[in-house]
Amino acid sequence: MPPIENDTGKNELKSQIQLLIDSNQVMVFSKSYCPYCVKVKDLFKELKLEFNVMELDLMEDGTNYQDMLLEMTGQKSVPNVFINKTHVGGCDKTMQAHKDGSLQQLLCGESEAYDYDLIVIGGGSGGLACSKEAAALGKKAMVLDYVVPTPKGTTWGLGGTCVNVGCIPKKLMHQTAMLGTAIQDARKFGWEIDESVKHNWDTMKEAVNNYIGSLNWGYRVALRDKNVNYVNAYAEFVEPHKIKATNKRGKETFYTAAKFVLATGERPRYLGIPGDKEYCITSDDLFSLPHCPGKTLVIGASYVALECGGFLAGLGLDVTVMVRSILLRGFDQEMANRAGEHMEEHGVKFLRKYVPVKVEELEAGSPGRLKVTAKSTESDEVIEGEYNTVLIAVGRDACTDKIGLDKTGVKVNPKTGKIPVSDEEQTNVPHIYAIGDILEGKWELTPVAIQAGRLLARRLYGGGTLKCDYINVPTTVFTPLEYGCCGLSEDRAIELYGQENLEVFHSLFWPLEFTVPNRDNNKCYAKIICNKLDNDRVIGFHYLGPNAGEVTQGFGTAMKCGATKEQLDNTIGIHPTCAEVFTTLEVTKSSGGDITQSGC
Amino acid sequence: MAHYEEVTVRGYDEFCQAISERKGKDIFAYFSGDKDAQGKSWCPDCVTAEPVVRGEMTHLPEGSVFIYCQVGERAYWKDSNNQFKKTLKLSGVPTLLRYGTPQKLVEDECFKSDLVRMMFTED
Ligand SMILES: Cc1cc2nc3c(=O)[nH]c(=O)nc-3n(C[C@H](O)[C@H](O)[C@H](O)COP(=O)(O)OP(=O)(O)OC[C@H]3O[C@@H](n4cnc5c(N)ncnc54)[C@H](O)[C@@H]3O)c2cc1C
């Protein structure tokens, strides 16, 4: 057979060889008389391996094969050995690989050696997104999700915090409270409603939980449909590539994977005082509480504390919030205080600078009666109070301490339990990644966890390069007067850039819908922080008013595009809306100018 | 003897009757468009789904009930005020649901045997 000269013939030959390499775990190009080839073939026989041999000397076009192999591998001699698509080399190289164990490793080949390509621990916002994306990219993926019951025994279905005990029930109950306000306003607009408007906790709880139930089922359908293996069991590492899964009946199963993603989220922190776990509840219990909580003490000033306190008050309950120091740590403090003041004006009581020391039960019941003893953080003063329900919302701890991370070498910040990762969500152990609330120094928000999970899967399995951008993430706190923000708080901007390099524009405003009911004048507030050194670019956006999430979302995009004050000024507003205030901001904070509003 | 009970009903009233006679049981209900004299439903998706659902019925839990419910003629079904839509909140046929739970497979979800099996075999 003549040498092949034309490209078509060459390409055909090349793909024939490639096919042999790809479809045989062990592929040996050999010559029947060559002693080195015999040696290699004997080794594979001894190892009881199935292998495919092509004796080039017995084939008509053997030389062409040999020439092409030279082109493909840089090796002309035989044997020419491939294992799991990897070029090993000739006799010496193969023998060497057998000796040092790399042959064995190659034989195992990542995908063959493990049960799964990817195991995701935690089926919440991040974990579901990541596992579904990996499966969509053709990988064998498993997700484990297990809810450890609260001390009160509350538990829930698949989907993690957001769906079951976070964003979803929170916003629906916030909406419940806002409808109460709307009913009051409605009278001023001419609706004639009976004086006795009452709220029924059970009806709301049932409706909210039915909706959540349908979401739980929807996630199970989606996972099954997308070929993600969902296991309802608690996972912990026993080896770097192996986990133990314990289901609710205590049955243990072991699974291995080439890669892992940690997405275990956080759970509410308790106070460590007498009576906290016995008598108090957390947000994990509140949304499915079998009875109306009645007179409630909320301990903490996190957004969860203010949101829960806010909607409970909006349902007409007697609510007190006990605060150790500041409201909404990490958020813009001016905004936080304005949101807090609005709550106070609408009947929420604040006990500032107190910490609880014990909780005692006076009477069991649904709800019962509890006595809370607290002490001042500034003096020896001790106070007592009686409540039906005590809700602890003092922060959340990452679920990283009971998942066997010591077996893997994954580094955890010992103070916070959080996991430091690279900008590609990789931990210090290369095959283990982490996403969502357990990350150190990252946002604890559902869309952030979803984005990180999805992009991670695309980078791992889809040739993606896009990384999750944790800058300028818009968010909203659903206090009774909602607070939306994006970018830096004023406090943080001053720290980073210095007061002299910033210009802050602000204004109070009165939503049109509040005018007829004549409420909350000069309570809503808009503020932007601009960097004078960079063309007055907007580096902080803050909005306190109705529909804050809807208002803030679009400005988040604007900030991603690098919006400047001038561009906001050149934007034509939509009238009559609240958001239009950002197109007409004139008064700078430094000028001390009047920002109160008197009319349209 | 099958390890489950199969009941065939037609229309909303018969459905409610069948349910009320089996309180406390694990009830699966399959809603389909009426069949004509040749045994063919006016709803093509129901024709596709039925063999899939039937094929998984051996996986029904011990002691459960399978209600096969014909919802009516096409004209009745298309009325958005019909009782299946209003009271049972059905949105389409075929629908397979586990009565009294959020578990529900609608239209082309019923074509997928592993989804049907998941409903029959897992809590
Ligand atoms: C009251 C409240 C309101 C919130 N409101 C909002 C909001 O309005 N907007 C917003 O964006 N975010 C909100 N969040 C935050 C949001 O819920 C979280 O950022 C998001 O759920 C984080 O997703 P995740 O994937 O990191 O973890 P999670 O959603 O918490 O999921 C983790 C899952 O892993 C499971 N798990 C843990 N350990 C194991 C284990 N060893 N084995 C198996 N499973 C395990 C957990 O049970 C859980 O199901 C709120 C949170 C709370 C508490």
mmCIF file of all heavy atoms in Angstrom, chain A residues 210 213-214 217 220-221 224-225 227 230 248-249, chain B residues 102-105 109 112 114-115 118-119 122-123:
data_model
loop_
_atom_site.group_PDB
_atom_site.id
_atom_site.type_symbol
_atom_site.label_atom_id
_atom_site.label_comp_id
_atom_site.label_asym_id
_atom_site.label_seq_id
_atom_site.Cartn_x
_atom_site.Cartn_y
_atom_site.Cartn_z
ATOM 1 N N ASN A 210 -48.942 24.981 51.978
ATOM 2 C CA ASN A 210 -49.372 24.227 50.804
ATOM 3 C C ASN A 210 -48.561 24.638 49.586
ATOM 4 O O ASN A 210 -48.169 23.804 48.770
ATOM 5 C CB ASN A 210 -50.858 24.462 50.511
ATOM 6 C CG ASN A 210 -51.720 23.692 51.472
ATOM 7 O OD1 ASN A 210 -51.249 22.760 52.137
ATOM 8 N ND2 ASN A 210 -52.981 24.081 51.585
ATOM 9 N N GLY A 213 -45.241 23.110 49.853
ATOM 10 C CA GLY A 213 -45.332 21.683 49.543
ATOM 11 C C GLY A 213 -45.278 21.441 48.044
ATOM 12 O O GLY A 213 -44.629 20.505 47.568
ATOM 13 N N SER A 214 -45.948 22.303 47.285
ATOM 14 C CA SER A 214 -45.939 22.114 45.842
ATOM 15 C C SER A 214 -44.548 22.413 45.272
ATOM 16 O O SER A 214 -44.123 21.783 44.308
ATOM 17 C CB SER A 214 -47.018 22.963 45.166
ATOM 18 O OG SER A 214 -46.669 24.329 45.219
ATOM 19 N N TRP A 217 -42.309 19.312 45.962
ATOM 20 C CA TRP A 217 -42.603 18.257 44.983
ATOM 21 C C TRP A 217 -42.015 18.620 43.623
ATOM 22 O O TRP A 217 -41.414 17.779 42.937
ATOM 23 C CB TRP A 217 -44.114 18.039 44.912
ATOM 24 C CG TRP A 217 -44.558 17.174 43.773
ATOM 25 C CD1 TRP A 217 -45.247 17.557 42.671
ATOM 26 C CD2 TRP A 217 -44.342 15.760 43.618
ATOM 27 N NE1 TRP A 217 -45.470 16.489 41.842
ATOM 28 C CE2 TRP A 217 -44.926 15.375 42.400
ATOM 29 C CE3 TRP A 217 -43.710 14.791 44.403
ATOM 30 C CZ2 TRP A 217 -44.901 14.071 41.930
ATOM 31 C CZ3 TRP A 217 -43.677 13.474 43.933
ATOM 32 C CH2 TRP A 217 -44.271 13.125 42.720
ATOM 33 N N ARG A 220 -38.431 17.778 43.380
ATOM 34 C CA ARG A 220 -38.187 16.335 43.232
ATOM 35 C C ARG A 220 -38.433 15.906 41.794
ATOM 36 O O ARG A 220 -37.670 15.127 41.226
ATOM 37 C CB ARG A 220 -39.080 15.551 44.191
ATOM 38 C CG ARG A 220 -38.583 15.657 45.634
ATOM 39 C CD ARG A 220 -39.557 15.059 46.615
ATOM 40 N NE ARG A 220 -39.848 13.662 46.331
ATOM 41 C CZ ARG A 220 -40.794 12.975 46.950
ATOM 42 N NH1 ARG A 220 -41.517 13.569 47.895
ATOM 43 N NH2 ARG A 220 -40.998 11.721 46.669
ATOM 44 N N VAL A 221 -39.510 16.434 41.203
ATOM 45 C CA VAL A 221 -39.810 16.114 39.811
ATOM 46 C C VAL A 221 -38.669 16.593 38.917
ATOM 47 O O VAL A 221 -38.189 15.854 38.046
ATOM 48 C CB VAL A 221 -41.155 16.752 39.385
ATOM 49 C CG1 VAL A 221 -41.355 16.661 37.879
ATOM 50 C CG2 VAL A 221 -42.309 16.084 40.121
ATOM 51 N N ARG A 224 -35.525 14.384 39.236
ATOM 52 C CA ARG A 224 -35.725 13.091 38.603
ATOM 53 C C ARG A 224 -35.694 13.247 37.089
ATOM 54 O O ARG A 224 -35.049 12.495 36.370
ATOM 55 C CB ARG A 224 -37.066 12.502 39.069
ATOM 56 C CG ARG A 224 -37.362 11.108 38.545
ATOM 57 C CD ARG A 224 -36.393 10.067 39.084
ATOM 58 N NE ARG A 224 -36.414 9.960 40.529
ATOM 59 C CZ ARG A 224 -36.938 8.951 41.203
ATOM 60 N NH1 ARG A 224 -37.505 7.962 40.565
ATOM 61 N NH2 ARG A 224 -36.882 8.936 42.519
ATOM 62 N N ASP A 225 -36.380 14.279 36.631
ATOM 63 C CA ASP A 225 -36.482 14.529 35.207
ATOM 64 C C ASP A 225 -35.116 14.835 34.594
ATOM 65 O O ASP A 225 -34.844 14.478 33.452
ATOM 66 C CB ASP A 225 -37.423 15.717 35.002
ATOM 67 C CG ASP A 225 -38.053 15.703 33.632
ATOM 68 O OD1 ASP A 225 -38.168 14.607 33.065
ATOM 69 O OD2 ASP A 225 -38.417 16.784 33.143
ATOM 70 N N ASN A 227 -32.307 13.714 35.712
ATOM 71 C CA ASN A 227 -31.365 12.632 36.009
ATOM 72 C C ASN A 227 -30.340 12.949 37.070
ATOM 73 O O ASN A 227 -29.190 12.523 36.991
ATOM 74 C CB ASN A 227 -30.626 12.195 34.745
ATOM 75 C CG ASN A 227 -31.472 11.260 33.941
ATOM 76 O OD1 ASN A 227 -32.177 10.420 34.516
ATOM 77 N ND2 ASN A 227 -31.434 11.403 32.637
ATOM 78 N N TYR A 230 -31.325 12.074 43.638
ATOM 79 C CA TYR A 230 -31.574 12.761 44.907
ATOM 80 C C TYR A 230 -31.710 11.733 46.022
ATOM 81 O O TYR A 230 -32.484 10.790 45.921
ATOM 82 C CB TYR A 230 -32.836 13.614 44.802
ATOM 83 C CG TYR A 230 -33.488 13.937 46.123
ATOM 84 C CD1 TYR A 230 -32.784 14.594 47.142
ATOM 85 C CD2 TYR A 230 -34.812 13.581 46.369
ATOM 86 C CE1 TYR A 230 -33.383 14.887 48.349
ATOM 87 C CE2 TYR A 230 -35.421 13.873 47.581
ATOM 88 C CZ TYR A 230 -34.707 14.520 48.567
ATOM 89 O OH TYR A 230 -35.302 14.798 49.766
ATOM 90 N N LYS A 248 -33.262 8.709 57.369
ATOM 91 C CA LYS A 248 -33.961 8.962 58.636
ATOM 92 C C LYS A 248 -34.220 7.688 59.431
ATOM 93 O O LYS A 248 -34.465 7.740 60.626
ATOM 94 C CB LYS A 248 -35.238 9.786 58.411
ATOM 95 C CG LYS A 248 -36.304 9.158 57.547
ATOM 96 C CD LYS A 248 -37.577 10.022 57.613
ATOM 97 C CE LYS A 248 -38.688 9.451 56.786
ATOM 98 N NZ LYS A 248 -38.726 9.962 55.407
ATOM 99 N N ARG A 249 -34.113 6.542 58.768
ATOM 100 C CA ARG A 249 -34.237 5.291 59.521
ATOM 101 C C ARG A 249 -32.890 4.811 60.051
ATOM 102 O O ARG A 249 -32.777 3.719 60.602
ATOM 103 C CB ARG A 249 -34.854 4.208 58.635
ATOM 104 C CG ARG A 249 -36.332 4.449 58.375
ATOM 105 C CD ARG A 249 -36.921 3.426 57.430
ATOM 106 N NE ARG A 249 -37.991 4.038 56.660
ATOM 107 C CZ ARG A 249 -37.826 4.635 55.485
ATOM 108 N NH1 ARG A 249 -36.636 4.632 54.917
ATOM 109 N NH2 ARG A 249 -38.832 5.202 54.864
ATOM 110 N N PRO B 102 -49.367 17.671 47.836
ATOM 111 C CA PRO B 102 -49.014 18.526 46.702
ATOM 112 C C PRO B 102 -48.494 17.735 45.500
ATOM 113 O O PRO B 102 -48.131 18.322 44.502
ATOM 114 C CB PRO B 102 -47.898 19.423 47.247
ATOM 115 C CG PRO B 102 -47.674 19.038 48.668
ATOM 116 C CD PRO B 102 -48.373 17.745 48.917
ATOM 117 N N GLN B 103 -48.440 16.420 45.604
ATOM 118 C CA GLN B 103 -47.835 15.626 44.536
ATOM 119 C C GLN B 103 -48.768 15.509 43.354
ATOM 120 O O GLN B 103 -49.882 14.998 43.469
ATOM 121 C CB GLN B 103 -47.482 14.234 45.058
ATOM 122 C CG GLN B 103 -46.521 14.305 46.215
ATOM 123 C CD GLN B 103 -45.971 12.955 46.605
ATOM 124 O OE1 GLN B 103 -46.169 11.970 45.907
ATOM 125 N NE2 GLN B 103 -45.266 12.925 47.725
ATOM 126 N N LYS B 104 -48.282 15.965 42.219
ATOM 127 C CA LYS B 104 -49.131 16.088 41.055
ATOM 128 C C LYS B 104 -48.269 16.020 39.802
ATOM 129 O O LYS B 104 -47.201 16.641 39.752
ATOM 130 C CB LYS B 104 -49.771 17.468 41.158
ATOM 131 C CG LYS B 104 -50.922 17.758 40.258
ATOM 132 C CD LYS B 104 -51.209 19.239 40.391
ATOM 133 C CE LYS B 104 -52.686 19.537 40.513
ATOM 134 N NZ LYS B 104 -52.963 20.960 40.581
ATOM 135 N N LEU B 105 -48.709 15.253 38.836
ATOM 136 C CA LEU B 105 -48.027 15.253 37.532
ATOM 137 C C LEU B 105 -49.050 15.675 36.492
ATOM 138 O O LEU B 105 -50.153 15.123 36.442
ATOM 139 C CB LEU B 105 -47.465 13.865 37.203
ATOM 140 C CG LEU B 105 -46.364 13.361 38.145
ATOM 141 C CD1 LEU B 105 -46.018 11.909 37.832
ATOM 142 C CD2 LEU B 105 -45.121 14.234 38.054
ATOM 143 N N GLU B 109 -45.818 15.480 31.913
ATOM 144 C CA GLU B 109 -45.119 14.820 33.022
ATOM 145 C C GLU B 109 -45.616 13.376 33.196
ATOM 146 O O GLU B 109 -44.872 12.517 33.665
ATOM 147 C CB GLU B 109 -45.311 15.602 34.331
ATOM 148 C CG GLU B 109 -44.541 16.911 34.340
ATOM 149 C CD GLU B 109 -44.820 17.777 35.566
ATOM 150 O OE1 GLU B 109 -45.817 17.526 36.276
ATOM 151 O OE2 GLU B 109 -44.047 18.709 35.799
ATOM 152 N N LYS B 112 -43.770 10.338 31.525
ATOM 153 C CA LYS B 112 -42.446 9.910 31.976
ATOM 154 C C LYS B 112 -42.584 8.864 33.081
ATOM 155 O O LYS B 112 -42.987 9.176 34.194
ATOM 156 C CB LYS B 112 -41.653 11.112 32.472
ATOM 157 C CG LYS B 112 -41.355 12.056 31.316
ATOM 158 C CD LYS B 112 -40.705 13.339 31.761
ATOM 159 C CE LYS B 112 -40.476 14.238 30.552
ATOM 160 N NZ LYS B 112 -40.271 15.639 30.928
ATOM 161 N N ASP B 114 -40.554 7.306 34.912
ATOM 162 C CA ASP B 114 -39.822 7.399 36.187
ATOM 163 C C ASP B 114 -40.457 8.426 37.121
ATOM 164 O O ASP B 114 -40.384 8.281 38.341
ATOM 165 C CB ASP B 114 -38.316 7.654 35.978
ATOM 166 C CG ASP B 114 -38.021 8.729 34.976
ATOM 167 O OD1 ASP B 114 -38.969 9.153 34.277
ATOM 168 O OD2 ASP B 114 -36.868 9.160 34.885
ATOM 169 N N LEU B 115 -41.122 9.443 36.556
ATOM 170 C CA LEU B 115 -41.827 10.391 37.426
ATOM 171 C C LEU B 115 -43.057 9.722 38.046
ATOM 172 O O LEU B 115 -43.354 9.912 39.223
ATOM 173 C CB LEU B 115 -42.232 11.635 36.641
ATOM 174 C CG LEU B 115 -41.089 12.490 36.078
ATOM 175 C CD1 LEU B 115 -41.636 13.740 35.403
ATOM 176 C CD2 LEU B 115 -40.090 12.871 37.161
ATOM 177 N N MET B 118 -41.905 7.459 40.695
ATOM 178 C CA MET B 118 -41.502 8.193 41.899
ATOM 179 C C MET B 118 -42.717 8.493 42.771
ATOM 180 O O MET B 118 -42.675 8.328 43.984
ATOM 181 C CB MET B 118 -40.800 9.504 41.498
ATOM 182 C CG MET B 118 -40.453 10.386 42.667
ATOM 183 S SD MET B 118 -39.285 11.692 42.222
ATOM 184 C CE MET B 118 -40.390 12.966 41.692
ATOM 185 N N MET B 119 -43.824 8.892 42.146
ATOM 186 C CA MET B 119 -45.014 9.187 42.941
ATOM 187 C C MET B 119 -45.541 7.923 43.616
ATOM 188 O O MET B 119 -45.957 7.951 44.770
ATOM 189 C CB MET B 119 -46.106 9.798 42.066
ATOM 190 C CG MET B 119 -47.323 10.204 42.874
ATOM 191 S SD MET B 119 -48.704 10.757 41.873
ATOM 192 C CE MET B 119 -48.202 12.373 41.385
ATOM 193 N N GLU B 122 -42.355 6.612 46.389
ATOM 194 C CA GLU B 122 -41.703 7.387 47.452
ATOM 195 C C GLU B 122 -42.735 8.209 48.210
ATOM 196 O O GLU B 122 -43.770 8.560 47.658
ATOM 197 C CB GLU B 122 -40.626 8.308 46.842
ATOM 198 C CG GLU B 122 -39.523 7.499 46.185
ATOM 199 C CD GLU B 122 -38.527 8.373 45.404
ATOM 200 O OE1 GLU B 122 -38.463 9.580 45.667
ATOM 201 O OE2 GLU B 122 -37.837 7.824 44.538
ATOM 202 N N ASP B 123 -42.439 8.560 49.469
ATOM 203 C CA ASP B 123 -43.394 9.357 50.262
ATOM 204 C C ASP B 123 -43.506 10.768 49.694
ATOM 205 O O ASP B 123 -42.528 11.375 49.395
ATOM 206 C CB ASP B 123 -42.924 9.512 51.709
ATOM 207 C CG ASP B 123 -42.660 8.172 52.349
ATOM 208 O OD1 ASP B 123 -43.268 7.191 51.902
ATOM 209 O OD2 ASP B 123 -41.848 8.141 53.290
#
